[in-house]
Amino acid sequence: MKKPIVIVEDEPDIVELMTIHLEKTGFAVKSFSGGAGFLRFIEKTEPALVVLDLMLPDIDGLEICKTLRRHESLASVPIIMVTAKGEEMDKVLGLELGADDYMAKPFSPRELVARVKALLRRNGPAAQAGKVVEIGGMLTLDLTKYEVMLRGRRIELTSTEFKILELLSSKKGWVFSREKILDHLWGDEKAVIDRTVDVHIRHLREKLGDAAYFVKNIRGVGYKLEE
Ligand code: CA
């Protein structure tokens, strides 16, 4: 069975609109009006992607995001965080807690479908089948399995963090501007601010432990990976 796109949202009109458009595109869709039902669901079923509303009647969306990221096998499931108008403050916080993308209501269903496709493309089988990148003798990136190993131990990155590491390691020593990194992450669907790159990189560095040393900030320019 095809893995479903899961919508966690308590406004029925929005759920219906999103469902119609995603199903029309060919996705299987499952929805929950609260966090509790969703958390029970993911005990047994792995979603392809989660569209997560921030304000839910029972459990806070950020709490759900955190729970998913701590989960052993669901840590890399892409999450699009959805917030009501004027909740801009939570954008950075959402990304801090591991969301891959963020959309503010009201958004067009077409934009949602585009973002979903972009995220799934990244998480799907990489074009560079079987390619493994090695960094500094301690870190390996498997571009097919989307797996990062630090001294043989697997570390869980979000798809955004993985994508950044993939880009930086594609040309070691080369400095990538924030703009370039955003382009790589989102292409034409780019609608995020510069600061988000810094948040993702900080998060990535934390997870890389002592290998974080390889990811360097070039003040005023961007980031690079250097062994
Ligand atoms: Ca809501």
Side-chain angles (χ1 to χ4, degrees), residues 9-166:
E9 164 69 76
D10 58 321
E11 289 170 66
D13 294 354
I14 297 180
V15 173
E16 196 187 342
L17 193 67
M18 292 198 275
T19 305
I20 290 171
H21 280 80
L22 288 168
E23 284 183 343
K24 211 167 68 187
T25 316
F27 294 114
V29 179
K30 176 100 188 132
S31 63
F32 294 92
S33 58
F38 169 69
L39 291 177
R40 271 197 304 277
F41 175 78
I42 56 170
E43 282 169 17
K44 293 197 171 132
T45 314
E46 183 179 333
L49 179 147
V50 180
V51 181
L52 180 60
D53 183 28
L54 182 68
M55 300 285 275
L56 293 163
D58 53 354
I59 307 171
D60 191 297
L62 292 174
E63 210 42 59
I64 296 176
C65 192
K66 249 189 336 197
T67 304
L68 225 68
R69 287 302 174 236
R70 278 196 302 251
H71 194 285
E72 198 181 336
S73 59
L74 303 176
S76 60
V77 170
I79 300 173
I80 300 178
M81 191 78 101
V82 174
T83 72
K85 221 175 172 182
E87 292 174 341
E88 192 68 19
M89 274 301 288
D90 294 306
K91 172 178 191 167
V92 167
L93 189 56
L95 296 174
E96 294 262 13
L97 295 177
D100 293 285
D101 199 3
Y102 162 96
M103 294 180 82
K105 293 179 206 172
F107 51 80
S108 77
R110 277 185 57 194
E111 192 188 346
L112 173 73
V113 170
R115 302 273 187 113
V116 166
K117 281 183 171 170
L119 274 175
L120 291 178
R121 227 179 1 253
R122 281 195 209 171
N123 263 27
Q128 314 93 320
K131 202 172 166 206
V132 174
V133 179
E134 202 239 75
I135 301 161
M138 61 166 93
L139 206 61
T140 56
L141 258 77
D142 187 319
L143 301 180
T144 316
K145 290 193 262 175
Y146 266 72
E147 220 172 63
V148 180
M149 308 283 272
L150 177 61
R151 293 195 188 84
R153 194 173 49 86
R154 192 187 159 138
I155 49 177
E156 297 291 345
L157 299 184
T158 66
S159 72
T160 301
E161 290 155 5
F162 186 94
K163 198 78 182 165
I164 291 174
L165 192 57
E166 179 193 21

